[in-house]
Structures are given as C-alpha cells and as structure tokens.
Amino acid sequence: MNRTLSILFGTGAGILWALSSICAQYLYSHADVSTDWAVPVRMIGAGLFLLVYLAVFRRDELNEILHSRSDLMRAAVSGLAGTMMMQYTFFLTIQQA
C-alpha cells in the first residue's frame, strides 16, 4: 500500500470515528437509547457484517478461523474483553457528556 492511500485511510477512519460519536450523542439526546443497548447492537451488527463479507469474499479464511478452536477463542476474547469494553467506555463517556 502506498503512502497516499495509507494517509487517506487513516484520515477516513478518524472522520468516521468522529461521526460515530456525533451520531451517538444525537441518539442519547433525541431518542431513548442507552449505552447498554447501543454498544451490543453496534458490535453485533459489525460482527454480522464482517461474517457476511468473509463468507462472500474470503470463504477460505473464514473456514480456517471457524475450524481452529484457538483462533476462535482468541477472536472471542479480543472482541469481548478488548473491543467491546473500549467501545462501551467510549460511548458511556459520550452519554455522560
């Protein structure tokens, strides 16, 4: 990947992260939505999207992950202990602001 594409992807990721916090603040202010509901729904949606993408475009890699108990456990622990807790604290901070 060249340098320009890397910069564009990094910038895009930052912009999308900022938009997610703006959307969360809007939901917390104008709808009866809590962090306890928003984060699991967001994580489940992202997980389903990723599974569909892998099933359609990278089926061999998906099969490798699903047939390796250690890879599956590593992904589950990383998702629950790492990503979900980070997102939960991030969105809880937005809700309290």
Coordinates of all heavy atoms in Angstrom, one line a residue:
M1 N 0.9 -1.2 0.0 CA 0.0 0.0 0.0 C 0.9 1.2 0.0 O 1.9 1.3 0.7 CB -0.9 0.0 1.2 CG -1.9 1.1 1.3 SD -3.0 1.2 2.7 CE -3.4 -0.5 3.0
N2 N 0.6 2.2 -0.8 CA 1.4 3.4 -0.9 C 1.1 4.4 0.2 O 0.1 4.3 0.9 CB 1.4 4.0 -2.3 CG 0.0 4.6 -2.6 OD1 -0.7 5.1 -1.7 ND2 -0.3 4.5 -3.9
R3 N 1.9 5.3 0.4 CA 1.8 6.3 1.5 C 0.5 7.1 1.4 O -0.1 7.4 2.4 CB 3.1 7.2 1.5 CG 3.1 8.2 2.5 CD 4.4 9.0 2.5 NE 4.4 10.2 3.3 CZ 4.6 10.2 4.6 NH1 4.8 9.1 5.2 NH2 4.6 11.4 5.2
T4 N 0.2 7.6 0.2 CA -1.0 8.4 0.0 C -2.3 7.7 0.4 O -3.1 8.2 1.1 CB -1.1 8.9 -1.5 OG1 0.1 9.6 -1.8 CG2 -2.3 9.8 -1.7
L5 N -2.4 6.4 0.0 CA -3.5 5.6 0.3 C -3.6 5.4 1.8 O -4.7 5.4 2.4 CB -3.5 4.3 -0.4 CG -4.7 3.4 -0.4 CD1 -5.9 4.2 -1.0 CD2 -4.5 2.2 -1.3
S6 N -2.4 5.2 2.5 CA -2.4 5.0 3.9 C -2.9 6.2 4.6 O -3.7 6.2 5.6 CB -1.0 4.7 4.4 OG -0.5 3.5 3.8
I7 N -2.5 7.4 4.2 CA -2.9 8.7 4.8 C -4.4 8.8 4.6 O -5.1 9.2 5.5 CB -2.1 9.8 4.2 CG1 -0.7 9.8 4.6 CG2 -2.8 11.2 4.5 CD1 0.2 10.8 3.9
L8 N -4.9 8.5 3.4 CA -6.4 8.6 3.1 C -7.2 7.7 4.0 O -8.2 8.1 4.6 CB -6.7 8.3 1.7 CG -6.3 9.4 0.7 CD1 -6.5 8.9 -0.8 CD2 -7.1 10.7 0.9
F9 N -6.7 6.4 4.2 CA -7.4 5.5 5.0 C -7.4 6.0 6.5 O -8.4 5.9 7.2 CB -6.8 4.1 4.9 CG -7.3 3.4 3.7 CD1 -6.5 2.3 3.2 CD2 -8.4 3.7 3.0 CE1 -6.9 1.6 2.1 CE2 -8.8 3.0 1.9 CZ -8.1 2.0 1.4
G10 N -6.2 6.5 7.0 CA -6.1 6.9 8.3 C -7.0 8.1 8.6 O -7.7 8.2 9.6
T11 N -7.1 9.1 7.6 CA -7.9 10.2 7.7 C -9.4 9.8 7.7 O -10.2 10.3 8.5 CB -7.7 11.2 6.6 OG1 -6.3 11.6 6.6 CG2 -8.5 12.5 6.7
G12 N -9.8 8.9 6.8 CA -11.1 8.4 6.7 C -11.6 7.8 8.0 O -12.7 7.9 8.5
A13 N -10.7 7.0 8.6 CA -11.0 6.3 9.9 C -11.3 7.3 11.0 O -12.2 7.2 11.8 CB -9.9 5.4 10.3
G14 N -10.5 8.4 11.0 CA -10.7 9.4 12.1 C -12.0 10.1 11.9 O -12.7 10.4 12.8
I15 N -12.3 10.4 10.6 CA -13.6 11.1 10.3 C -14.8 10.2 10.7 O -15.8 10.7 11.3 CB -13.6 11.5 8.8 CG1 -12.6 12.6 8.6 CG2 -15.0 11.9 8.4 CD1 -12.4 12.9 7.1
L16 N -14.7 8.9 10.3 CA -15.8 8.0 10.7 C -16.0 7.8 12.2 O -17.1 7.7 12.7 CB -15.6 6.7 9.9 CG -15.8 6.7 8.4 CD1 -15.5 5.4 7.8 CD2 -17.2 7.2 8.0
W17 N -14.9 7.8 12.9 CA -14.9 7.7 14.3 C -15.6 8.9 14.9 O -16.4 8.8 15.8 CB -13.5 7.5 14.9 CG -13.5 7.1 16.3 CD1 -13.2 8.0 17.4 CD2 -13.8 5.9 16.9 NE1 -13.3 7.3 18.6 CE2 -13.7 6.0 18.3 CE3 -14.2 4.6 16.4 CZ2 -13.9 4.9 19.2 CZ3 -14.4 3.6 17.2 CH2 -14.3 3.7 18.6
A18 N -15.3 10.1 14.4 CA -15.9 11.3 14.9 C -17.4 11.3 14.6 O -18.2 11.7 15.4 CB -15.2 12.5 14.3
L19 N -17.8 10.9 13.4 CA -19.2 10.8 13.0 C -19.9 9.8 14.0 O -21.1 10.1 14.3 CB -19.3 10.4 11.6 CG -19.0 11.5 10.6 CD1 -19.1 10.9 9.1 CD2 -20.0 12.6 10.7
S20 N -19.3 8.7 14.4 CA -20.0 7.8 15.2 C -20.3 8.4 16.6 O -21.3 8.2 17.2 CB -19.2 6.5 15.4 OG -18.0 6.7 16.2
S21 N -19.4 9.3 17.1 CA -19.6 9.9 18.4 C -20.7 11.0 18.2 O -21.5 11.2 19.1 CB -18.3 10.5 18.9 OG -17.8 11.5 18.1
I22 N -20.8 11.7 17.1 CA -21.8 12.6 16.9 C -23.2 11.9 16.8 O -24.2 12.4 17.4 CB -21.6 13.4 15.6 CG1 -20.3 14.3 15.8 CG2 -22.8 14.3 15.2 CD1 -19.8 14.9 14.5
C23 N -23.2 10.8 16.1 CA -24.5 10.0 16.0 C -24.9 9.5 17.3 O -26.1 9.5 17.7 CB -24.3 8.9 15.0 SG -24.1 9.4 13.3
A24 N -24.0 9.0 18.1 CA -24.3 8.5 19.5 C -24.8 9.7 20.3 O -25.9 9.5 21.0 CB -23.1 7.9 20.1
Q25 N -24.2 10.8 20.3 CA -24.7 12.0 21.1 C -26.1 12.3 20.7 O -27.0 12.6 21.5 CB -23.8 13.2 20.9 CG -24.2 14.4 21.8 CD -24.1 14.1 23.3 OE1 -23.1 13.5 23.7 NE2 -25.1 14.4 24.0
Y26 N -26.4 12.3 19.4 CA -27.7 12.6 18.9 C -28.7 11.6 19.4 O -29.8 12.0 19.8 CB -27.7 12.6 17.3 CG -29.1 12.9 16.8 CD1 -29.6 14.2 16.7 CD2 -29.9 11.9 16.4 CE1 -30.8 14.5 16.2 CE2 -31.2 12.1 15.9 CZ -31.7 13.4 15.8 OH -32.9 13.7 15.3
L27 N -28.4 10.3 19.3 CA -29.3 9.3 19.8 C -29.6 9.4 21.3 O -30.7 9.2 21.8 CB -28.7 7.9 19.5 CG -28.8 7.4 18.1 CD1 -28.1 6.1 17.9 CD2 -30.3 7.3 17.6
Y28 N -28.5 9.7 22.1 CA -28.7 9.9 23.5 C -29.6 11.1 23.8 O -30.3 11.1 24.8 CB -27.3 10.0 24.2 CG -26.5 8.8 24.1 CD1 -25.1 8.9 24.0 CD2 -27.0 7.5 24.1 CE1 -24.2 7.8 23.9 CE2 -26.2 6.4 24.0 CZ -24.8 6.5 23.9 OH -24.0 5.4 23.8
S29 N -29.5 12.1 23.0 CA -30.2 13.3 23.3 C -31.7 13.3 22.8 O -32.6 13.9 23.4 CB -29.6 14.5 22.6 OG -28.3 14.7 23.1
H30 N -31.9 12.6 21.6 CA -33.2 12.7 21.0 C -34.0 11.4 21.0 O -35.1 11.4 20.6 CB -33.1 13.2 19.6 CG -32.6 14.6 19.5 ND1 -31.2 14.9 19.5 CD2 -33.2 15.8 19.4 CE1 -31.1 16.2 19.4 NE2 -32.3 16.8 19.3
A31 N -33.4 10.3 21.5 CA -34.1 9.0 21.5 C -33.8 8.4 22.8 O -32.9 8.7 23.5 CB -33.7 8.1 20.4
D32 N -34.7 7.5 23.2 CA -34.5 6.8 24.5 C -33.5 5.6 24.3 O -33.9 4.5 24.4 CB -35.8 6.3 25.0 CG -35.8 5.9 26.5 OD1 -34.8 6.3 27.2 OD2 -36.6 5.1 26.9
V33 N -32.2 6.0 24.1 CA -31.2 5.0 23.8 C -30.1 5.1 24.9 O -29.8 6.2 25.3 CB -30.6 5.2 22.4 CG1 -29.4 4.3 22.2 CG2 -31.6 5.0 21.3
S34 N -29.7 4.0 25.4 CA -28.6 4.0 26.4 C -27.4 3.2 25.8 O -27.5 2.5 24.8 CB -29.1 3.3 27.6 OG -29.2 1.9 27.4
T35 N -26.3 3.5 26.5 CA -25.0 2.8 26.1 C -25.2 1.3 26.2 O -24.7 0.5 25.4 CB -23.9 3.3 27.0 OG1 -23.7 4.7 26.8 CG2 -22.6 2.6 26.6
D36 N -25.9 0.8 27.2 CA -26.1 -0.6 27.4 C -26.8 -1.3 26.3 O -26.7 -2.5 26.0 CB -26.9 -0.9 28.7 CG -26.2 -0.5 30.0 OD1 -24.9 -0.4 29.9 OD2 -26.8 -0.1 31.0
W37 N -27.6 -0.5 25.5 CA -28.3 -1.0 24.3 C -27.5 -0.8 23.1 O -27.3 -1.7 22.2 CB -29.6 -0.4 24.2 CG -30.4 -0.9 23.0 CD1 -31.2 -2.0 22.9 CD2 -30.4 -0.3 21.7 NE1 -31.7 -2.1 21.6 CE2 -31.2 -1.1 20.8 CE3 -29.8 0.9 21.1 CZ2 -31.5 -0.8 19.5 CZ3 -30.1 1.2 19.8 CH2 -30.9 0.4 19.0
A38 N -26.9 0.4 22.9 CA -26.2 0.8 21.7 C -25.0 0.0 21.4 O -24.8 -0.4 20.2 CB -25.9 2.3 21.7
V39 N -24.2 -0.2 22.4 CA -22.9 -0.9 22.1 C -23.1 -2.3 21.7 O -22.5 -2.8 20.7 CB -21.9 -0.8 23.3 CG1 -20.7 -1.6 23.1 CG2 -21.5 0.7 23.5
P40 N -23.9 -3.2 22.4 CA -24.1 -4.5 21.9 C -24.7 -4.6 20.5 O -24.3 -5.4 19.7 CB -25.0 -5.2 22.9 CG -24.8 -4.4 24.2 CD -24.5 -3.0 23.7
V41 N -25.7 -3.7 20.2 CA -26.3 -3.7 18.9 C -25.3 -3.3 17.8 O -25.2 -4.0 16.8 CB -27.5 -2.7 18.9 CG1 -28.0 -2.5 17.5 CG2 -28.6 -3.3 19.7
R42 N -24.5 -2.4 18.1 CA -23.4 -2.0 17.2 C -22.4 -3.1 16.9 O -22.0 -3.4 15.8 CB -22.7 -0.7 17.7 CG -21.7 -0.2 16.8 CD -21.0 1.1 17.3 NE -20.1 1.5 16.2 CZ -19.1 2.3 16.4 NH1 -19.0 2.9 17.6 NH2 -18.3 2.6 15.5
M43 N -22.0 -3.7 18.0 CA -21.0 -4.8 17.9 C -21.6 -6.0 17.2 O -20.9 -6.6 16.3 CB -20.5 -5.2 19.3 CG -19.7 -4.1 20.0 SD -18.2 -3.7 19.2 CE -17.3 -5.2 19.4
I44 N -22.8 -6.4 17.4 CA -23.5 -7.5 16.8 C -23.6 -7.2 15.3 O -23.3 -8.0 14.4 CB -24.8 -7.9 17.4 CG1 -24.6 -8.5 18.8 CG2 -25.6 -8.8 16.5 CD1 -25.8 -8.6 19.6
G45 N -24.0 -6.0 15.0 CA -24.2 -5.5 13.6 C -22.8 -5.6 12.8 O -22.8 -6.1 11.7
A46 N -21.8 -5.1 13.5 CA -20.5 -5.1 12.8 C -20.0 -6.6 12.7 O -19.4 -6.9 11.6 CB -19.5 -4.3 13.7
G47 N -20.2 -7.4 13.6 CA -19.8 -8.8 13.5 C -20.5 -9.5 12.4 O -19.9 -10.3 11.7
L48 N -21.8 -9.3 12.3 CA -22.6 -9.9 11.2 C -22.1 -9.4 9.9 O -22.0 -10.2 8.9 CB -24.1 -9.7 11.4 CG -24.8 -10.4 12.6 CD1 -26.2 -9.9 12.7 CD2 -24.7 -11.9 12.4
F49 N -21.9 -8.1 9.8 CA -21.4 -7.6 8.5 C -20.0 -8.2 8.1 O -19.8 -8.6 7.0 CB -21.2 -6.1 8.6 CG -20.6 -5.4 7.4 CD1 -21.4 -5.2 6.3 CD2 -19.2 -5.1 7.4 CE1 -20.8 -4.6 5.2 CE2 -18.7 -4.5 6.2 CZ -19.5 -4.3 5.1
L50 N -19.1 -8.4 9.1 CA -17.8 -9.0 8.9 C -18.0 -10.4 8.5 O -17.3 -10.9 7.5 CB -17.0 -8.9 10.1 CG -15.5 -9.4 10.0 CD1 -14.8 -8.7 8.9 CD2 -14.8 -9.2 11.3
L51 N -18.9 -11.2 9.1 CA -19.1 -12.6 8.8 C -19.6 -12.7 7.4 O -19.2 -13.6 6.6 CB -20.0 -13.2 9.8 CG -19.4 -13.6 11.1 CD1 -20.5 -14.2 12.0 CD2 -18.3 -14.7 10.9
V52 N -20.6 -11.9 7.0 CA -21.1 -11.9 5.6 C -20.0 -11.6 4.6 O -19.9 -12.3 3.6 CB -22.3 -11.0 5.5 CG1 -22.7 -10.8 4.0 CG2 -23.5 -11.5 6.3
Y53 N -19.2 -10.6 4.9 CA -18.1 -10.2 4.0 C -17.2 -11.4 3.8 O -16.8 -11.7 2.7 CB -17.4 -9.0 4.5 CG -16.1 -8.7 3.8 CD1 -16.2 -8.0 2.5 CD2 -14.9 -9.1 4.2 CE1 -15.1 -7.7 1.8 CE2 -13.7 -8.8 3.5 CZ -13.8 -8.1 2.3 OH -12.7 -7.9 1.6
L54 N -16.8 -12.0 4.9 CA -15.8 -13.1 4.8 C -16.5 -14.3 4.1 O -15.8 -15.0 3.3 CB -15.4 -13.5 6.2 CG -14.5 -12.6 7.0 CD1 -14.2 -13.0 8.4 CD2 -13.1 -12.4 6.2
A55 N -17.7 -14.5 4.3 CA -18.4 -15.7 3.7 C -18.5 -15.5 2.2 O -18.4 -16.4 1.4 CB -19.8 -15.9 4.3
V56 N -18.6 -14.2 1.7 CA -18.8 -13.9 0.3 C -17.4 -13.8 -0.4 O -17.2 -14.4 -1.4 CB -19.6 -12.7 0.1 CG1 -19.6 -12.2 -1.4 CG2 -21.0 -12.9 0.6
F57 N -16.5 -13.1 0.2 CA -15.3 -12.7 -0.5 C -14.0 -13.5 0.0 O -13.1 -13.6 -0.7 CB -15.0 -11.2 -0.3 CG -16.0 -10.4 -1.0 CD1 -16.9 -9.7 -0.2 CD2 -16.1 -10.3 -2.4 CE1 -17.9 -8.9 -0.8 CE2 -17.0 -9.5 -3.0 CZ -17.9 -8.8 -2.2
R58 N -14.0 -14.0 1.2 CA -12.9 -14.7 1.7 C -13.3 -16.0 2.5 O -12.9 -16.2 3.6 CB -12.1 -13.8 2.6 CG -11.6 -12.6 1.9 CD -10.8 -11.7 2.8 NE -10.3 -10.6 2.1 CZ -9.0 -10.4 1.8 NH1 -8.1 -11.2 2.2 NH2 -8.6 -9.3 1.2
R59 N -14.0 -16.8 1.8 CA -14.6 -18.0 2.5 C -13.5 -18.9 3.0 O -13.6 -19.5 4.1 CB -15.4 -18.8 1.5 CG -16.1 -20.0 2.1 CD -17.0 -20.7 1.1 NE -18.1 -19.8 0.7 CZ -19.3 -19.7 1.3 NH1 -19.5 -20.5 2.4 NH2 -20.2 -18.9 0.9
D60 N -12.3 -19.1 2.4 CA -11.3 -20.0 2.8 C -10.7 -19.5 4.2 O -10.5 -20.3 5.1 CB -10.1 -20.1 1.8 CG -10.6 -20.8 0.6 OD1 -11.5 -21.5 0.6 OD2 -9.9 -20.5 -0.5
E61 N -10.5 -18.2 4.3 CA -10.0 -17.6 5.6 C -11.1 -17.8 6.7 O -10.7 -18.1 7.8 CB -9.7 -16.1 5.4 CG -8.5 -15.9 4.5 CD -8.2 -14.5 4.2 OE1 -8.5 -13.6 5.1 OE2 -7.6 -14.2 3.2
L62 N -12.3 -17.6 6.4 CA -13.4 -17.8 7.4 C -13.4 -19.3 7.8 O -13.5 -19.5 9.1 CB -14.8 -17.4 6.8 CG -16.0 -17.6 7.7 CD1 -15.8 -16.8 9.0 CD2 -17.2 -17.3 7.0
N63 N -13.3 -20.2 6.9 CA -13.2 -21.6 7.3 C -12.1 -21.9 8.2 O -12.2 -22.7 9.1 CB -13.2 -22.5 6.1 CG -14.6 -22.5 5.4 OD1 -15.6 -22.3 6.0 ND2 -14.6 -22.8 4.1
E64 N -10.9 -21.3 7.9 CA -9.7 -21.5 8.8 C -10.0 -21.1 10.2 O -9.6 -21.8 11.2 CB -8.5 -20.8 8.2 CG -7.9 -21.4 7.0 CD -6.7 -20.6 6.5 OE1 -6.1 -20.0 7.3 OE2 -6.5 -20.7 5.3
I65 N -10.6 -19.9 10.3 CA -10.9 -19.4 11.7 C -11.9 -20.3 12.4 O -11.8 -20.6 13.6 CB -11.4 -17.9 11.6 CG1 -10.3 -17.0 11.1 CG2 -11.9 -17.4 12.9 CD1 -10.7 -15.6 10.7
L66 N -13.0 -20.6 11.7 CA -14.0 -21.4 12.3 C -13.6 -22.8 12.7 O -14.2 -23.4 13.6 CB -15.3 -21.5 11.4 CG -16.0 -20.1 11.2 CD1 -17.1 -20.3 10.2 CD2 -16.5 -19.5 12.5
H67 N -12.6 -23.4 12.0 CA -12.2 -24.7 12.3 C -11.0 -24.8 13.3 O -10.5 -25.8 13.7 CB -11.8 -25.5 11.0 CG -13.0 -25.8 10.3 ND1 -13.4 -25.1 9.1 CD2 -14.0 -26.8 10.5 CE1 -14.5 -25.6 8.7 NE2 -14.9 -26.6 9.5
S68 N -10.5 -23.6 13.7 CA -9.4 -23.6 14.7 C -9.9 -23.1 16.0 O -10.3 -21.9 16.1 CB -8.3 -22.6 14.2 OG -7.3 -22.4 15.2
R69 N -10.0 -23.9 17.0 CA -10.6 -23.6 18.3 C -9.8 -22.4 18.9 O -10.4 -21.5 19.5 CB -10.6 -24.8 19.2 CG -11.3 -24.5 20.5 CD -11.4 -25.7 21.4 NE -12.2 -26.8 20.8 CZ -13.4 -27.0 21.1 NH1 -14.0 -26.2 22.0 NH2 -14.1 -27.9 20.6
S70 N -8.5 -22.5 18.8 CA -7.6 -21.4 19.4 C -7.8 -20.1 18.7 O -7.9 -19.0 19.4 CB -6.2 -21.8 19.4 OG -5.7 -21.9 18.1
D71 N -8.0 -20.0 17.4 CA -8.2 -18.8 16.7 C -9.6 -18.2 17.1 O -9.8 -17.0 17.2 CB -8.1 -19.0 15.2 CG -6.7 -19.1 14.7 OD1 -5.8 -18.8 15.5 OD2 -6.5 -19.5 13.6
L72 N -10.6 -19.1 17.2 CA -11.9 -18.7 17.5 C -12.0 -18.1 18.9 O -12.6 -17.1 19.2 CB -12.9 -19.9 17.4 CG -14.4 -19.6 17.3 CD1 -14.7 -18.7 16.1 CD2 -15.1 -20.9 17.1
M73 N -11.3 -18.8 19.9 CA -11.3 -18.3 21.2 C -10.6 -16.9 21.3 O -11.0 -16.0 22.0 CB -10.6 -19.3 22.2 CG -11.5 -20.5 22.4 SD -13.1 -20.1 23.1 CE -12.6 -19.4 24.7
R74 N -9.4 -16.8 20.6 CA -8.7 -15.6 20.6 C -9.5 -14.4 20.0 O -9.5 -13.3 20.6 CB -7.4 -15.8 19.7 CG -6.5 -14.6 19.9 CD -5.2 -14.8 19.1 NE -4.5 -16.1 19.6 CZ -4.1 -17.0 18.8 NH1 -4.2 -16.9 17.5 NH2 -3.5 -18.1 19.2
A75 N -10.3 -14.7 19.0 CA -11.2 -13.7 18.4 C -12.3 -13.3 19.4 O -12.6 -12.1 19.5 CB -11.8 -14.2 17.1
A76 N -12.9 -14.3 20.1 CA -13.9 -14.0 21.0 C -13.4 -13.2 22.2 O -14.1 -12.2 22.6 CB -14.6 -15.3 21.5
V77 N -12.3 -13.6 22.7 CA -11.7 -12.8 23.9 C -11.4 -11.4 23.5 O -11.6 -10.4 24.2 CB -10.5 -13.6 24.5 CG1 -9.8 -12.7 25.5 CG2 -11.0 -14.9 25.2
S78 N -10.7 -11.3 22.3 CA -10.4 -10.0 21.8 C -11.6 -9.1 21.6 O -11.6 -7.9 22.0 CB -9.6 -10.1 20.5 OG -9.4 -8.8 19.9
G79 N -12.6 -9.7 21.1 CA -13.9 -8.9 20.8 C -14.6 -8.5 22.1 O -15.0 -7.3 22.2
L80 N -14.7 -9.4 23.0 CA -15.4 -9.1 24.3 C -14.6 -8.3 25.2 O -15.0 -7.3 25.8 CB -15.8 -10.4 24.9 CG -16.9 -11.2 24.2 CD1 -17.2 -12.5 24.9 CD2 -18.2 -10.3 24.2
A81 N -13.3 -8.7 25.5 CA -12.5 -8.0 26.5 C -11.9 -6.7 26.0 O -11.7 -5.8 26.7 CB -11.4 -9.0 27.0
G82 N -11.6 -6.7 24.7 CA -10.9 -5.6 24.1 C -11.8 -4.6 23.5 O -12.1 -3.5 24.0
T83 N -12.3 -5.0 22.4 CA -13.1 -4.0 21.5 C -14.4 -3.6 22.2 O -14.7 -2.4 22.3 CB -13.4 -4.7 20.2 OG1 -12.2 -5.1 19.6 CG2 -14.1 -3.7 19.3
M84 N -15.2 -4.5 22.8 CA -16.4 -4.2 23.4 C -16.3 -3.3 24.6 O -17.0 -2.3 24.8 CB -17.3 -5.4 23.7 CG -18.7 -5.1 24.1 SD -19.7 -6.6 24.1 CE -21.3 -5.9 24.2
M85 N -15.3 -3.6 25.4 CA -15.1 -2.7 26.6 C -14.6 -1.4 26.2 O -15.0 -0.4 26.8 CB -14.1 -3.4 27.6 CG -14.7 -4.7 28.2 SD -16.3 -4.5 29.0 CE -15.9 -3.3 30.3
M86 N -13.7 -1.3 25.2 CA -13.2 0.0 24.7 C -14.4 0.9 24.2 O -14.6 2.0 24.5 CB -12.2 -0.2 23.7 CG -11.5 1.1 23.2 SD -12.4 2.0 21.8 CE -12.6 0.7 20.6
Q87 N -15.2 0.2 23.4 CA -16.4 0.9 22.8 C -17.4 1.3 23.9 O -18.0 2.4 23.9 CB -17.1 0.1 21.8 CG -16.2 0.0 20.5 CD -17.0 -0.1 19.3 OE1 -18.2 0.0 19.3 NE2 -16.3 -0.2 18.2
Y88 N -17.6 0.4 24.9 CA -18.5 0.7 26.0 C -18.1 1.9 26.8 O -18.9 2.8 27.0 CB -18.7 -0.5 26.9 CG -19.7 -0.3 28.0 CD1 -21.1 -0.4 27.7 CD2 -19.3 0.1 29.3 CE1 -22.0 -0.2 28.7 CE2 -20.3 0.4 30.2 CZ -21.6 0.2 29.9 OH -22.6 0.5 30.9
T89 N -16.8 2.0 27.1 CA -16.3 3.2 27.9 C -16.4 4.5 27.0 O -16.7 5.5 27.5 CB -14.9 3.0 28.5 OG1 -14.0 2.6 27.4 CG2 -14.9 1.8 29.5
F90 N -16.0 4.3 25.7 CA -16.1 5.5 24.8 C -17.5 6.0 24.7 O -17.7 7.2 24.9 CB -15.6 5.1 23.4 CG -15.6 6.2 22.4 CD1 -14.8 7.2 22.4 CD2 -16.6 6.1 21.4 CE1 -14.8 8.2 21.5 CE2 -16.7 7.1 20.5 CZ -15.8 8.2 20.5
F91 N -18.5 5.2 24.5 CA -19.9 5.6 24.4 C -20.5 6.0 25.7 O -21.3 6.9 25.7 CB -20.7 4.6 23.6 CG -20.4 4.6 22.2 CD1 -19.7 3.5 21.6 CD2 -20.9 5.6 21.3 CE1 -19.5 3.5 20.2 CE2 -20.6 5.6 20.0 CZ -19.9 4.5 19.4
L92 N -20.1 5.4 26.8 CA -20.5 5.9 28.1 C -20.0 7.3 28.4 O -20.8 8.1 28.9 CB -20.0 4.9 29.2 CG -20.6 5.1 30.6 CD1 -22.1 4.9 30.5 CD2 -20.0 4.1 31.5
T93 N -18.8 7.6 28.0 CA -18.3 9.0 28.2 C -19.1 9.9 27.4 O -19.4 11.0 27.8 CB -16.8 9.0 27.7 OG1 -16.1 8.1 28.5 CG2 -16.2 10.4 27.9
I94 N -19.5 9.6 26.1 CA -20.3 10.5 25.3 C -21.7 10.7 25.9 O -22.2 11.8 26.0 CB -20.4 9.9 23.9 CG1 -19.1 9.9 23.2 CG2 -21.5 10.6 23.1 CD1 -19.0 9.2 21.9
Q95 N -22.2 9.6 26.4 CA -23.6 9.7 27.1 C -23.5 10.6 28.3 O -24.5 11.3 28.5 CB -24.1 8.3 27.5 CG -25.5 8.3 28.0 CD -25.9 6.9 28.4 OE1 -25.2 5.9 28.4 NE2 -27.2 6.7 28.6
Q96 N -22.5 10.6 29.1 CA -22.4 11.4 30.3 C -22.0 12.8 30.0 O -22.2 13.7 30.8 CB -21.3 10.8 31.2 CG -21.6 9.4 31.7 CD -22.9 9.3 32.5 OE1 -23.2 10.2 33.3 NE2 -23.7 8.2 32.2
A97 N -21.5 13.1 28.8 CA -21.1 14.5 28.4 C -22.3 15.4 28.2 O -23.4 15.0 28.0 CB -20.3 14.5 27.1

